[in-house]
Amino acid sequence: MMNPTPCVMSLEPGSYYFCACGRSANLPFCDGTHQGGGVEPFAVDIAEPQTVAICACRHSANRPFCDGTHKSLTAE
């Protein structure tokens, strides 16, 4: 299994949609590639400017946000 680190970014207030299927060409953001696949993006409303860490390993219990799970994964 891979051990990708989170995508850390600064976000301004607004609504964001983060990819849940892993197929977006614009990761970590959703580009609609999931359509028809039964997976919906993570919708997040940001109320004030903040820096976030978006999960890239797809194992966080707090998706789309990173909870550090990637640190316990081993690389294949």
Side-chain angles (χ1 to χ4, degrees):
M1 177 176 304
M2 293 183 64
N3 185 4
T5 57
C7 179
V8 178
M9 64 180 65
S10 296
L11 296 177
E12 293 297 318
S15 296
Y16 296 88
Y17 295 89
F18 294 101
C19 179
C21 71
R23 297 182 294 190
S24 174
N26 191 30
L27 290 172
F29 300 103
C30 176
D31 68 0
T33 304
H34 67 278
Q35 303 254 338
V39 177
E40 295 296 320
F42 296 100
V44 176
D45 291 321
I46 301 294
E48 58 188 53
Q50 61 184 283
T51 299
V52 298
I54 302 300
C55 175
C57 74
R58 302 181 71 202
H59 293 293
S60 173
N62 190 31
R63 287 181 71 202
F65 302 108
C66 175
D67 67 0
T69 300
H70 65 278
K71 294 176 186 175
S72 66
L73 302 175
T74 58
E76 289 184 351

